[in-house]
């Protein structure tokens, strides 16, 4: 095979039910990677970005959710993209690098020259072809996407130092206690297959250490809680930190947007970022509001074709309305995600909120919040099948599934 025909595969880490706990209560109903942002499942955004990779042979999703949870999505997206997309289930979590290593034989089946590895819960423009070009120029084992952030926020992420001239990764620390750098790891990587040798090295070291410990029962007692299984390998602490400064890893800095999607409030913010990106990538997905029979649309709005929106409703900016939702006369929606089968009755108002599947909002009712993405109750969230009766006001609150609210609430978590 000539150089121009080198194949590339992409792997997206989707985690499993024990991850994504900060995404509750929404992750009680749906695996977090399938939660809709801008009307498309979270994982759809990195998958569709992969389309731009030249010679892409396969996309693998690796996780420890049940296979059936991804089956429908995976088969529909494979047909749509005409690229095979396959879900690979780990029997248990192996860590971000261990998960990749676990399926190395399958991943290497097509003899790819490069492997992209993407965290599912990051929101960015995924400049993948540009990263691949840079990676080939650098000639290392891996290239990480990095971004400059506000120094006060950097410690929530993997902080790194790169050579300003060669872009070599010189130093890497995951969530450090003291400030190292305002450049952080975006969770988007491209590797050569040599990455498997590096992961295997960590795994072998762990096995050797475990064998040594077995010889001394006292030490074994002491370190039992500290030691990780030999096949549990984290990309950040176990691979990036030790390989930094060894001319094997390089960085590619994005000047575009980047966010991590750990909480429902961040999913609302990221929905806005992806809607804004649709203006460039998929303008057909944005509601236009043209014509006398359509509702008034302000800014970026997604409306599923099966949703029914009354022409007197006023919608936007940053609103996503999922399948079979019904939006009544005089309704006002701002900065919100309305999930499948929701009904908002006449003159209802939803601002800075996520309204769960099949919920109902009564006439003249308001579901709203202050909209601070970092505050605990910064957005209002209604779980599945919540019934807000007429003229009820729900402010800065989280309501778990199947509740009926007949009185107004503020700053409450209703269990
Ligand atoms: P926090 O620790 O919650 O701050 O998350 P993080 O994003 O810094 O790191 P983590 O390395 O835990 O996760 C990175 C990505 O890999 C996320 O998309 C996870 O869902 C996914 N992930 C983490 N561990 C595993 C694993 O064992 N198997 C699989 N398949 N995915 C994983």
């Amino acid at each position: 095979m000539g150089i121009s025909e080198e194949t590339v595969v992409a792997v997206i880490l989707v985690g499993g039910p024990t991850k994504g706990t900060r995404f509750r209560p929404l992750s009680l109903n749906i695996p977090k990677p399938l939660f809709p942002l801008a009307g498309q499942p979270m994982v759809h955004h990195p998958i569709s970005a992969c389309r731009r990779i030249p010679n892409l042979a396969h996309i693998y999703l690796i996780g420890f959710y049940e296979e059936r949870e991804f089956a429908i999505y995976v088969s529909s997206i494979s047909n749509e993209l005409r690229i095979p997309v396959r879900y690979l289930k780990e029997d248990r979590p192996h860590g971000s690098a261990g998960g990749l290593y676990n399926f190395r034989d399958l991943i290497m089946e097509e003899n790819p020259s490069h492997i992209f590895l993407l965290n599912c819960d990051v929101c960015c423009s995924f400049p993948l072809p540009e990263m691949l070009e840079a990676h080939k120029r650098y000639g290392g084992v891996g290239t990480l996407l990095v971004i400059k952030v506000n120094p006060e926020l950097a410690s929530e992420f993997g902080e790194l130092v790169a050579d300003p001239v060669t872009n070599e990764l010189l130093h890497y620390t995951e969530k450090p206690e003291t400030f190292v750098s305002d450049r952080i790891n975006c969770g988007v990587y491209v590797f050569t297959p040599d990455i498997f040798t590096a992961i295997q090295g960590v795994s072998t070291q762990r096995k050797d250490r475990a064998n040594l410990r077995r010889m001394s029962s006292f030490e074994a007692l002491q370190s039992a809680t500290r030691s990780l299984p030999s096949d549990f390998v984290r990309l950040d602490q176990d691979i990036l930190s030790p390989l930094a400064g060894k001319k094997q890893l390089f960085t590619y800095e994005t000047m575009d947007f980047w966010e991590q999607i750990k909480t429902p409030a961040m999913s609302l913010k990221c929905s806005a970022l992806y809607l804004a990106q649709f203006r460039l990538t998929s303008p057909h997905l944005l509601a236009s509001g043209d014509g006398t029979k359509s509702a008034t649309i302000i800014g970026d709005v997604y409306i599923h074709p099966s949703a029914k929106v009354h022409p007197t409703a006023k919608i936007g900016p940053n609103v996503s309305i999922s399948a079979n939702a019904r939006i009544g006369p005089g309704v006002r929606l701002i900065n919100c995600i309305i999930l499948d089968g929701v009904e908002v009755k006449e003159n209802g108002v939803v601002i800075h909120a996520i309204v769960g599947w099949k919920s109902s909002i009564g006439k003249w009712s308001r579901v709203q919040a202050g909209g601070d993405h970092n505050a605990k109750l910064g957005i209002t969230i209604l779980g599945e099948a919540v019934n807000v009766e007429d003229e009820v006001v729900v402010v800065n609150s989280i309501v778990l599934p199947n509740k009926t609210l007949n009185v107004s609430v503020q700053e409450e978590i209703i269990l």
Side-chain angles (χ1 to χ4, degrees), residues 147-160 173-176 178-185:
I147 192 166
K148 184 176 186 303
V149 292
N150 177 341
E152 282 168 24
L153 301 178
S155 65
E156 293 170 28
F157 309 101
E159 293 184 19
L160 56 92
T173 324
E174 187 63 22
K175 302 186 182 77
T178 51
F179 181 74
V180 174
S181 161
D182 59 359
R183 297 298 197 286
I184 61 149
N185 174 10

Side-chain angles (χ1 to χ4, degrees), residues 13 15 19 22 62-63 90 93-95 119 121 175 260 262:
L13 294 174
K19 306 276 308 172
R22 281 172 280 173
I62 299 184
E90 290 170 89
H94 291 86
N119 287 359
D121 57 2
K175 302 186 182 77
Q260 210 175 14
K262 293 293 178 195

